[in-house]
Amino acid sequence: MIKKGVTLRGIEVFEALAGRGSVAHAAAMTGLSQPAVSQQISNLEAAVGAKLIDHSCRPMRLTAAGETFLRHSSLALAHVRQAQSELTVMDLVSLTDLHLGVIDDFDNDLTPRLATILADSMAGCRFRMVTDSSKRLLQAVQDKALHIAITATDGDAKEGLIEIPLARDPFIIVVPAEIEADGADLLGGRSGLPFLRYEADQLIAGQISNQLSRHNINLTSQFEIGSHLALMAMVARGIGWTITTSFGYCRAQRFHSQLATQPFPTAEFSRQISLFAGSDWTGSVPHDIADTMRQLLHTHMIAPTLAQLTWLAGRFKILET
């Protein structure tokens, strides 16, 4: 039997504190006040009967008991979050046909997870899932070749479509780990490091170009790269620096040890990830799928990234309708 006082909220706070060793960072990640974070940790330690955090160190460190508890509690939280994702799509059994598109940004991990969750919920449904660029997916929904698409958006209203916001995805600067140039030097062309640009036809390239133009920043580039992971690999190798999004950085996990990040130094800007469906759609299916996708985005991408890049707290987040 679980001891009285051991709560999921307490375990979530403990996980956040364990990741960064700072009450302030844990508060930013969980949306609690700093006193509330400290109280959650005190309650959890009292409930399990052991000191989990060594408060005498800065940053704080886990005790041996804390290390053991974290290994098991993290697995428990992962299972709870996955179960929560799966239980949000219960109305799909009535579907006979569903054609769904997902932006290729999520190919690595989220799209396979979403596909299996939906497939398990749709007995007898003819299910088709495709991945593509945001521009092509949006056009496919407008052309009725797809019922639903999960894409990035430039913020403009899409005629004939229902939009359900999912997440806010801030743009950030990514440089090779050994480079110490700040954002102002990079944007001013004073770093001596080439700018690596997304291929011009992509939506993300247009959003970055528009932001640079608004601030009268002109960056020449020898390279235009269509593959996101190829772009991150080039930065990791020290070939240049780039502007990408928080989801884009998260997706390149294999290169994180070779990359460094920083905020965009002028006005902050971001893109939005949304679910789009035809305006003639009836029923709750788009909202059910949106709820599931929010859970997956938070559990597998946003929360791990905020644990690493705490300065993104409050910016990189789920959007509720």
Side-chain angles (χ1 to χ4, degrees), residues 47-64:
V48 300
K51 283 293 181 183
L52 304 176
I53 302 287
D54 183 352
H55 298 267
S56 66
C57 301
R58 290 294 183 273
M60 297 177 188
R61 296 178 183 175
L62 297 183
T63 63

Side-chain angles (χ1 to χ4, degrees), residues 56-266:
S56 66
C57 301
R58 290 294 183 273
M60 297 177 188
R61 296 178 183 175
L62 297 183
T63 63
E67 295 280 3
T68 300
F69 189 77
L70 180 64
R71 284 199 301 273
H72 296 289
S73 62
S74 294
L75 286 173
L77 281 178
H79 286 300
V80 170
R81 289 165 177 157
Q82 186 65 26
Q84 193 173 15
S85 298
E86 294 177 7
L87 290 174
T88 58
V89 279
M90 299 301 292
D91 289 344
L92 305 187
V93 292
S94 60
L95 281 181
T96 59
D97 207 33
L98 178 62
H99 297 173
L100 173 69
V102 182
I103 186 176
D104 46 20
D105 294 50
F106 303 136
D107 274 355
N108 289 27
D109 192 24
L110 291 201
T111 301
R113 292 177 186 273
L114 180 63
T116 55
I117 290 171
L118 294 178
D120 286 343
S121 304
M122 298 186 298
C125 175
R126 177 182 170 84
F127 178 45
R128 172 174 166 253
M129 175 180 276
V130 300
T131 60
D132 209 331
S133 68
S134 292
K135 286 183 177 180
R136 293 193 182 96
L137 291 176
L138 282 169
Q139 190 61 54
V141 178
Q142 289 176 320
D143 294 341
K144 301 190 184 302
L146 291 174
H147 297 125
I148 291 172
I150 295 168
T151 79
T153 174
D154 55 13
D156 294 338
K158 305 297 185 291
E159 186 177 352
L161 299 183
I162 299 167
E163 180 177 1
I164 304 173
L166 301 178
R168 184 169 183 260
D169 188 18
F171 282 88
I172 61 176
I173 286 176
V174 181
V175 299
E178 69 276 7
I179 297 298
E180 296 185 359
D182 63 23
D185 286 339
L186 291 166
L187 293 175
R190 297 184 296 272
S191 69
L193 195 65
F195 175 56
L196 308 180
R197 192 183 299 270
Y198 280 95
E199 192 272 321
D201 189 51
Q202 296 183 344
L203 179 63
I204 191 172
Q207 292 172 305
I208 294 170
S209 178
N210 290 340
Q211 180 71 6
L212 295 176
S213 296
R214 278 193 288 270
H215 293 277
N216 298 313
I217 298 169
N218 183 26
L219 295 172
T220 59
S221 179
Q222 177 184 354
F223 300 100
E224 284 190 11
I225 310 300
S227 163
H228 171 77
L229 289 180
L231 187 65
M232 291 296 101
M234 293 174 70
V235 177
R237 287 288 300 273
I239 295 171
W241 67 279
T242 195
I243 301 170
T244 186
T245 72
S246 304
F247 278 132
Y249 172 77
C250 177
R251 185 183 175 196
Q253 186 173 3
R254 73 182 77 169
F255 302 119
H256 281 183
S257 64
Q258 301 162 270
L259 300 172
T261 64
Q262 53 184 283
F264 198 78
T266 58

